[in-house]
Amino acid sequence: MRKWLAGTAFAILALFSGAAIQAADQQWTKTFPLAAGGSFALVNVNGSADVRGWDRDSVEIRAVKSARNLEDLQRVSIEAKAMPGRVEIITHYPEEEGVDVAVEFHVRVPSRVTLERIVTVNGNVDVAGVEGKAVLHTVNGNVNAFNCAGSFSARTTNGNIREELLGFNADAALETVNGSVIIALPKTAGAQVEAQSVNGEVRTELSLSMLSGYVPGKLEGKLGNGGPALHLHSVNGAIQIAQLKPTA
């Protein structure tokens, strides 16, 4: 059973399968003070990032590094930068050298926070229970933001984007190449919408005052009473603006 270790300690669990293969995990935990309204950033390469809000004035970062061999595992490091009002976590891989290492992050942040950037290359980005502003980015993976409020920009190349926002209050862009985009907003939400899919359907469940006539694969107009700009784009996938359903 895995057990998170406090502070800067590492636990290395090595499992051998024959003489030639050695699999290993490293577990890493850090906690930093961060008041509500502060900023947090996370940069990863191979592995997912899961960020959830809580009611504490602190950030807790739990990471697991996994590799097929211990040598590769030790060549990937996690750097923490903490200062008043801001915490940043960066995963460092050796330059111009391929290492088969994945790092999975599970993070708790104050529920009201600015997520300056949550970035990975190969893996999903998931955010829940956060109010504020966020920039979420992956290349090969999905981006999800649930039970959130504010402005959550998201971008992926090979993956879907799903957002359920209790409120929308600043410009945001949701963009993918090979995937679909779904954003659910309250019935009373207001925005200036520009949505376009090159090879997919674009539809809305919310009332939209069109700025021009119908164009296949494109919607442009005012949602509700208008408001911040909401840009939705896909090349190979559908786009949907859905009405947020109340939870029980």
Side-chain angles (χ1 to χ4, degrees):
M1 180 180 295
R2 294 179 178 176
K3 181 179 179 182
W4 295 115
L5 300 184
T8 60
F10 286 97
I12 303 178
L13 307 175
L15 302 175
F16 293 87
S17 177
I21 299 176
Q22 180 190 40
D25 289 347
Q26 259 186 8
Q27 304 186 34
W28 184 93
T29 300
K30 286 271 192 177
T31 301
F32 300 99
L34 184 68
S39 297
F40 177 76
L42 170 65
V43 178
N44 195 17
V45 178
N46 293 317
S48 63
D50 185 278
V51 181
R52 297 177 182 270
W54 64 356
D55 60 356
R56 302 181 188 179
D57 287 336
S58 62
V59 171
E60 179 186 76
I61 307 102
R62 298 177 176 179
V64 177
K65 295 194 295 181
S66 302
R68 290 179 60 84
N69 65 76
L70 183 60
E71 181 181 355
D72 277 357
L73 198 69
Q74 294 174 334
R75 296 167 69 192
V76 174
S77 63
I78 302 172
E79 179 186 9
K81 298 180 179 180
M83 60 192 72
R86 186 178 186 272
V87 176
E88 182 176 19
I89 305 297
I90 304 173
T91 308
H92 293 287
Y93 280 71
E95 294 184 5
E96 300 179 356
E97 297 180 37
V99 291
D100 185 14
V101 178
V103 186
E104 304 289 333
F105 281 95
H106 297 270
V107 182
R108 289 297 192 101
V109 296
S111 57
R112 187 168 61 84
V113 70
T114 295
L115 301 177
E116 288 183 6
R117 53 176 179 161
I118 307 297
V119 176
T120 190
V121 176
N122 300 306
N124 295 334
V125 174
D126 297 296
V127 178
V130 169
E131 178 183 353
K133 187 174 182 179
V135 175
L136 315 175
H137 182 207
T138 184
V139 176
N140 300 306
N142 301 321
V143 180
N144 300 301
F146 297 123
N147 193 31
C148 293
S151 170
F152 287 74
S153 289
R155 182 158 53 99
T156 182
T157 300
N158 300 304
N160 303 313
I161 298 175
R162 302 283 185 273
E163 292 190 358
E164 293 184 0
L165 302 183
L166 304 175
F168 175 68
N169 59 17
D171 295 352
L174 283 61
E175 301 173 308
T176 182
V177 176
N178 298 308
S180 60
V181 176
I182 297 178
I183 182 168
L185 297 169
K187 186 177 181 179
T188 57
Q192 296 291 340
V193 175
E194 190 276 317
Q196 183 172 11
S197 175
V198 178
N199 298 303
E201 183 182 3
V202 180
R203 55 187 181 272
T204 178
E205 294 179 357
L206 298 178
S207 178
L208 190 72
S209 301
M210 299 291 290
L211 295 181
S212 59
Y214 173 74
V215 177
K218 185 174 182 179
L219 287 176
E220 187 174 8
K222 184 171 68 173
L223 186 67
N225 294 322
L230 178 59
H231 173 79
L232 310 174
H233 188 266
S234 175
V235 176
N236 299 306
I239 295 175
Q240 180 177 1
I241 303 170
Q243 182 175 328
L244 185 68
K245 304 299 190 295
T247 57

